[in-house]
Amino acid sequence: MKKLIIIDGNSIVNRAYYGIRPLSTKDGIPTNGILGFMNILLRLEDDYSPDALCVAFDLKAPTFRHKMYGEYKAQRKGMPEDLAAQLPHLKELLSAMNVLQLSLEGYEADDIIGHVSRVCEESGVWCGIATGDRDDLQLASPTTHVLLTTTSYSQTKTDVYDADAVAEKYGVTPREFVAVKALMGDSSDNVPGVSGIGEKTAFELVKKFHGLDEIYENIDDPFIKKGWRQKLIDGRDMAYLCYDLCEIRRDIPLDFSVEAAALRPADVAALSRKLEQLELRRIAERLGLGEAEEPEAGPAPETGPASDEDLATAACAEELPFIIGEDGEIAFSIGGRDLTAPPEALRPAFEGPSKKISHRVKSAMHSLAAVGITLGGEFYDTEIGAYILDPQQTVYDLRELCRALALPCAASSLPALMRAQTEEIERRGQTNLLRGIELPLERVLFSMEREGCRIDVEQLRLFGEMLGERITGLEQSIYFMAGGEFNLNSPKQLGSVLFERLGLPVVKKSKRGYSTDSEVLEKLRSRHEIIDLIIEYRRAAKLKSTYTDALLPLVDGESRIHSSLNQTVTATGRISSTEPNLQNIPVRTELGRELRKMFVAKEGCLLVDADYSQIELRVLAHISGDDAMCRAFSENDDIHTLTAMQVFGVPDFCVTPEMRSRAKTVNFGIIYGQGEFSLANELKISRAEAKRYIESYFEKYHGVKEYMEKTVAAAKADGYVSTIFGRRRAVPELESRNRNLRAFGERIAMNTPIQGSAADIIKIAMVRVYDALKKECPNSRLILQIHDELIIEAPEAEAARAGELLRREMENAVRLNVPLVADVHTGKSWYEAK
């Protein structure tokens, strides 16, 4: 069967833009979106070897959906200028590659994709849809696969859905997916859905009745609860309108054939010129156009099933390179030969003391644990090695790493890849970072992911219901003050109410209309009491959709949530959390803090929580060597009060809570390279006053100013900055001709050694705590890491000892010029333990 790939151009370039740090050419052309898009395109070609390829783009003109519903996508912000500037260059690049580009006025890229997929199905051609938009799941079929690309903290992964995969994941067919969206709505497209019908209810209804018509034909069925029934009746017209808005059109007036998208040779001269202009030299090399020839991988080794003798040899080998395939089978190497075996057959080798070499070892640990195998002995992870050498990559693909060394992608290549990495890591002085921090941390993160954290499911459900009631109450109060109902989630309608009906002063306006963003609302708070209600409504709605509604489906049969802790996705070295992201649980509002009550210890246990006190400021004191700051921390003075005394020129007993709060903002703002403009905005003061604050700060802490100047100068000379422990981050932005990019680079140079060193310290502490718990508190488990905070779940009898251990290991993780301080608390819930 022939294969065609169609790329959702706007969706993929948008995700690439937000997933890759800002990049630009020496002439100031931004390129991060183009680079990410090209990486994905080339990876798709490598993975699928398509016979045909095309890209669908949206046009600026309104579509038929806008004519059906004037508020369709009304809340969407315009494309960032530096992303919009990349689209013409991307399209020129695709033209030089002879890749077919498709657009049609009046229709969206999704409709073009739907049309192309239909043509493929009718022509007996396999179709792959590369997109980041779940709306396209409705197009999945036995021969149409949705290649759903998701980006999290600069890491890109692709989940593949055919019709069966959609049904397995969501419990509805692809076509039924449209009815779900029609009922629940889609806030990203400003599709309202049926008021009061949320995601869970929408899925339940569609699973039962399979479509809108069937739901309304059976509206009196006992399955439909009384509350649902009235909402459905009231929202019938809107439900069918939303169905029309959400349904992708598959028969549009577009002249398309698979042959028109067939792969054709590129215009080499034009392509080379464009890639050179965009300074995408690695892409040029991958396409065989660069100055240096791309190394060719060696011939793929022959593999075969392992014999009993091979398995016995593997169990006794000093070194075991292995790769786990998607089917769970193991490819491993002994004596340079590549062999295969099921994991159970290799149990003695995996659980033995030999050194294991693999790519993405933590993932391998989970796969092996699923069949009851524990990975023993030392191990080396080629993904971790690649991350240390280049922490700003988006993906660390084993095939690309092997190809760079002209090696085949095989288990037998892993030792050579390991040696190449470790030699360079040693040359850079990063061996302790590798072997003392990153590699030991993998076992810790695996344990934490496997343990998970217990959730009080009933309390979380009730909290969600309370939020729903509060949201409804706020809506009614807002409508009363506004003099009538309107779409609260429509910036256009909200702007009309605030600035025309209520006559509030216009703060910011663009061609798209009145701005009602958070900055505008903050400036209007004193003008009308409706503003506070709108702010509270947004907070409650965000909390409900992002946390209560999103967390419940992720709870397992033992009432625990298992977040993924990602080690190779941030340039600073910080650990990130996904599915769910527990790093972003709100703590600044009381309502947000309430969510921590849902994270509880299991029966008979307590949560033991420890949080580093002002670790980044302490790291700054150590790195800068500033006398005043070091003395303050050594003598246990309140650093924020001391800063307030300097900034405001008052003795300590005159420092008010507001002064201390402002001084705290200055302290942390300095760490992040904040200038007078940003500080003025954050503190809502004049730029002159913000400038005076910063000058007073540096007068007190002149060593900090000297450190920042020296660090930026060194980064310009070396091209990178380093943490205390040798972690490097390249700062090419410092060479940019674009003033904004250079300023961004200076902030990176100033902040990375501080934030990165703090990240390294918490990692060291995690390894120490994990090892100490095994020896001293064997029934306690490290279960959560949130920025500078660690949480242990401990039996009540072990909790006090675990708390002492936690404080000891965190405070002694490293020795700085100033003491590290960890505040420890215990409770039945995360809320109590804070």
Side-chain angles (χ1 to χ4, degrees):
M1 179 179 281
K2 285 187 176 181
K3 296 178 184 176
L4 177 144
I5 297 282
I6 181 165
I7 299 175
D8 186 343
N10 293 78
S11 174
I12 294 299
V13 77
N14 189 66
R15 274 164 170 72
Y17 169 80
Y18 286 106
I20 297 179
R21 63 188 176 84
L23 296 172
S24 71
T25 68
K26 61 181 181 296
D27 296 323
I29 301 173
T31 58
N32 56 332
I34 300 172
L35 173 62
F37 183 98
M38 289 300 297
N39 279 331
I40 291 171
L41 185 152
L42 295 177
R43 192 178 69 187
L44 289 169
E45 289 189 333
D46 287 344
D47 289 347
Y48 293 95
S49 300
D51 303 286
L53 177 70
C54 53
V55 182
F57 284 107
D58 289 317
L59 296 175
K60 290 184 179 179
T63 68
F64 71 91
R65 292 182 177 86
H66 294 89
K67 295 174 183 178
M68 290 170 58
Y69 182 57
E71 297 304 310
Y72 182 66
K73 294 189 177 180
Q75 89 294 356
R76 287 274 184 100
K77 293 182 178 179
M79 185 181 289
E81 288 184 10
D82 55 340
L83 173 56
Q86 297 182 55
L87 285 179
H89 293 288
L90 174 60
K91 291 178 179 180
E92 285 182 36
L93 199 54
L94 293 171
S95 295
M97 295 174 70
N98 272 323
V99 172
L100 179 65
Q101 301 171 56
L102 301 170
S103 297
L104 184 62
E105 188 167 341
Y107 294 90
E108 296 182 54
D110 282 344
D111 301 310
I112 295 170
I113 291 168
H115 181 87
V116 169
S117 67
R118 178 187 61 78
V119 171
C120 287
E121 289 173 3
E122 293 173 354
S123 305
V125 173
W126 182 95
C127 179
I129 300 169
T131 182
D133 190 348
R134 291 183 184 274
D135 288 347
D136 287 354
L137 291 175
Q138 63 182 272
L139 301 173
S141 74
T143 58
T144 297
H145 290 50
V146 179
L147 315 177
L148 194 63
T149 301
T150 55
T151 304
S152 173
Y153 291 92
S154 302
Q155 186 175 58
T156 301
K157 70 173 185 176
T158 300
D159 296 319
V160 182
Y161 288 90
D162 61 5
D164 290 340
V166 172
E168 183 180 349
K169 173 77 173 179
Y170 296 100
V172 297
T173 68
R175 293 298 299 158
E176 290 170 354
F177 206 80
V178 187
V180 173
K181 292 288 292 291
L183 292 171
M184 64 180 277
D186 184 349
S187 59
S188 66
D189 288 340
N190 207 35
V191 175
V194 175
S195 180
I197 300 294
E199 181 177 3
K200 182 179 178 182
T201 304
F203 270 107
E204 287 185 27
L205 287 167
V206 175
K207 286 176 186 177
K208 173 69 174 176
F209 298 106
H210 307 296
L212 279 191
D213 289 342
E214 293 83 354
I215 290 171
Y216 282 104
E217 287 168 4
N218 295 277
I219 196 68
D220 294 321
D221 190 293
F223 179 84
I224 300 178
K225 299 175 184 178
K226 184 178 179 181
W228 297 355
R229 184 176 296 114
Q230 192 57 51
K231 291 170 183 174
L232 288 167
I233 292 170
D234 293 342
R236 181 188 180 109
D237 291 343
M238 182 57 74
Y240 278 97
L241 170 62
C242 292
Y243 191 96
D244 285 340
L245 293 172
C246 294
E247 183 180 30
I248 293 173
R249 301 301 189 262
R250 304 195 72 192
D251 191 5
I252 63 176
L254 178 70
D255 184 17
F256 172 81
S257 67
V258 174
E259 291 72 24
L263 291 180
R264 290 176 172 79
D267 181 338
V268 175
L271 182 56
S272 297
R273 285 195 302 270
K274 194 65 192 177
L275 289 170
E276 182 62 28
Q277 179 196 12
L278 297 174
E279 298 176 9
L280 298 178
R281 296 183 180 92
R282 290 189 64 182
I283 298 296
E285 289 174 11
R286 288 179 67 180
L287 291 169
L289 303 173
E291 294 178 3
E293 292 186 6
E294 182 179 359
E296 293 186 7
E302 293 185 8
T303 60
S307 65
D308 290 342
E309 183 180 351
D310 293 328
L311 295 172
T313 302
C316 300
E318 294 184 1
E319 194 174 84
L320 181 69
F322 73 94
I323 301 171
I324 300 184
E326 292 183 2
D327 58 359
E329 191 169 58
I330 309 294
F332 70 101
S333 175
I334 52 172
R337 294 186 301 131
D338 283 273
L339 302 163
T340 59
E344 293 84 355
L346 285 162
R347 181 187 297 273
F350 281 130
E351 295 188 341
S354 65
K355 180 177 182 177
K356 319 301 187 301
I357 309 171
S358 191
H359 191 73
R360 297 178 181 150
V361 169
K362 177 160 67 73
S363 176
M365 288 178 179
H366 282 294
S367 297
L368 295 173
V371 291
I373 296 175
T374 300
L375 196 67
E378 291 184 19
F379 60 82
Y380 182 86
D381 189 336
T382 52
E383 181 181 48
I384 296 295
Y387 170 66
I388 288 175
L389 291 172
D390 188 358
Q392 286 149 290
Q393 283 294 319
T394 55
V395 177
Y396 300 92
D397 184 77
L398 180 58
R399 285 170 298 182
E400 293 300 320
L401 297 176
C402 289
R403 183 181 296 171
L405 297 176
L407 296 169
C409 184
S412 55
S413 297
L414 292 174
L417 179 56
M418 175 187 70
R419 286 192 294 272
Q421 290 179 346
T422 53
E423 285 172 7
E424 178 63 13
I425 286 170
E426 185 174 359
R427 187 188 70 79
R428 292 185 179 190
Q430 295 177 304
T431 299
N432 184 59
L433 177 65
L434 171 71
R435 302 196 181 281
I437 301 178
E438 295 293 357
L439 290 178
L441 183 67
E442 276 199 271
R443 209 178 289 277
V444 181
L445 297 181
F446 160 73
S447 172
M448 293 171 69
E449 288 178 349
R450 195 160 173 82
E451 288 292 331
C453 181
R454 191 165 187 269
I455 298 293
D456 187 328
V457 177
E458 181 61 16
Q459 192 174 1
L460 182 60
R461 186 184 64 78
L462 292 174
F463 184 58
E465 290 180 0
M466 180 276 290
L467 285 174
E469 292 171 1
R470 176 173 290 200
I471 290 166
T472 300
L474 287 166
E475 285 176 334
Q476 296 308 311
S477 298
I478 291 168
Y479 296 153
F480 177 77
M481 289 186 184
E485 292 193 11
F486 63 99
N487 184 353
L488 252 172
N489 298 312
S490 164
K492 184 177 180 180
Q493 292 189 29
L494 178 59
S496 177
V497 167
L498 296 180
F499 306 115
E500 294 175 8
R501 190 183 302 176
L502 298 180
L504 296 179
V506 177
V507 177
K508 189 164 51 175
K509 192 175 182 181
S510 67
K511 293 179 181 179
R512 298 175 60 86
Y514 304 109
S515 172
T516 58
D517 62 20
S518 57
E519 182 182 350
V520 168
L521 293 183
E522 283 294 331
K523 291 180 179 179
L524 294 173
R525 291 188 83 153
S526 62
R527 297 283 187 163
H528 199 292
E529 56 188 355
I530 195 174
I531 302 298
D532 281 334
L533 297 180
I534 293 169
I535 291 172
E536 188 178 354
Y537 165 83
R538 287 184 176 179
R539 285 174 178 167
K542 172 78 172 176
L543 195 62
K544 186 175 189 300
S545 64
T546 306
Y547 295 102
T548 59
D549 293 349
L551 287 177
L552 283 170
L554 299 175
V555 178
D556 69 9
E558 297 181 352
S559 298
R560 299 183 82 88
I561 277 182
H562 303 267
S563 176
S564 294
L565 299 169
N566 308 308
Q567 194 175 354
T568 62
V569 299
T570 67
T572 60
R574 275 191 175 272
I575 298 167
S576 69
S577 165
T578 54
E579 297 178 0
N581 180 2
L582 300 182
Q583 306 271 14
N584 279 351
I585 288 183
V587 296
R588 293 188 178 183
T589 64
E590 184 55 40
L591 200 59
R593 287 191 289 271
E594 284 286 307
L595 193 59
R596 292 191 173 196
K597 292 181 179 179
M598 318 307 155
F599 291 77
V600 297
K602 65 184 179 183
E603 196 66 33
C605 290
L606 293 171
L607 296 184
V608 184
D609 179 295
D611 196 349
Y612 273 125
S613 172
Q614 301 167 341
I615 186 170
E616 290 188 348
L617 287 173
R618 292 172 190 269
V619 168
L620 174 60
H622 172 83
I623 293 178
S624 69
D626 182 89
D627 290 338
M629 192 172 283
C630 288
R631 184 166 56 253
F633 282 121
S634 297
E635 296 176 1
N636 201 29
D637 291 334
D638 182 351
I639 192 73
H640 301 316
T641 297
L642 287 178
T643 300
M645 292 166 59
Q646 177 69 22
V647 167
F648 297 105
V650 297
D652 59 352
F653 58 84
C654 291
V655 174
T656 65
E658 182 182 3
M659 288 178 178
R660 185 183 181 278
S661 177
R662 290 195 167 197
K664 183 177 180 180
T665 300
V666 174
N667 275 327
F668 287 107
I670 294 296
I671 287 178
Y672 290 93
Q674 201 171 52
E676 60 193 57
F677 181 78
S678 298
L679 185 62
N681 279 343
E682 187 161 351
L683 292 178
K684 298 177 177 59
I685 58 178
S686 69
R687 290 184 65 177
E689 190 172 3
K691 182 180 180 182
R692 184 179 64 78
Y693 284 7
I694 293 172
E695 289 173 348
S696 297
Y697 177 94
F698 285 132
E699 184 180 331
K700 171 76 172 177
Y701 306 115
H702 52 82
V704 172
K705 184 175 179 61
E706 292 172 6
Y707 152 74
M708 291 182 167
E709 291 172 347
K710 288 178 181 177
T711 299
V712 171
K716 287 179 179 177
D718 300 333
Y720 65 87
V721 289
S722 299
T723 69
I724 297 170
F725 305 93
R727 186 185 303 280
R728 290 186 184 184
R729 179 178 181 177
V731 198
E733 294 86 354
L734 291 173
E735 299 299 321
S736 173
R737 294 185 180 182
N738 183 297
R739 183 174 59 84
N740 291 332
L741 270 179
R742 284 200 308 276
F744 176 68
E746 290 177 0
R747 291 194 295 274
I748 289 175
M750 290 185 279
N751 171 252
T752 294
I754 302 165
Q755 191 179 90
S757 295
D760 291 339
I761 290 170
I762 194 74
K763 287 179 173 181
I764 293 168
M766 291 169 73
V767 174
R768 289 174 61 111
V769 169
Y770 175 82
D771 290 342
L773 285 175
K774 287 196 295 185
K775 295 176 183 176
E776 302 175 40
C777 299
N779 298 309
S780 300
R781 298 288 184 272
L782 183 62
I783 61 168
L784 283 177
Q785 180 267 338
I786 313 291
H787 301 306
D788 307 322
E789 179 180 1
L790 297 181
I791 301 176
I792 290 172
E793 186 175 54
E796 293 179 0
E798 275 187 5
R801 189 159 72 255
E804 294 169 2
L805 177 155
L806 189 56
R807 185 195 306 276
R808 180 192 75 210
E809 300 302 333
M810 289 180 70
E811 293 187 344
N812 292 284
V814 298
R815 187 169 296 280
L816 302 180
N817 295 336
V818 297
L820 287 175
V821 175
D823 301 317
V824 181
H825 302 281
T826 304
K828 288 294 293 181
S829 70
W830 189 8
Y831 184 90
E832 289 181 9
K834 282 298 291 177

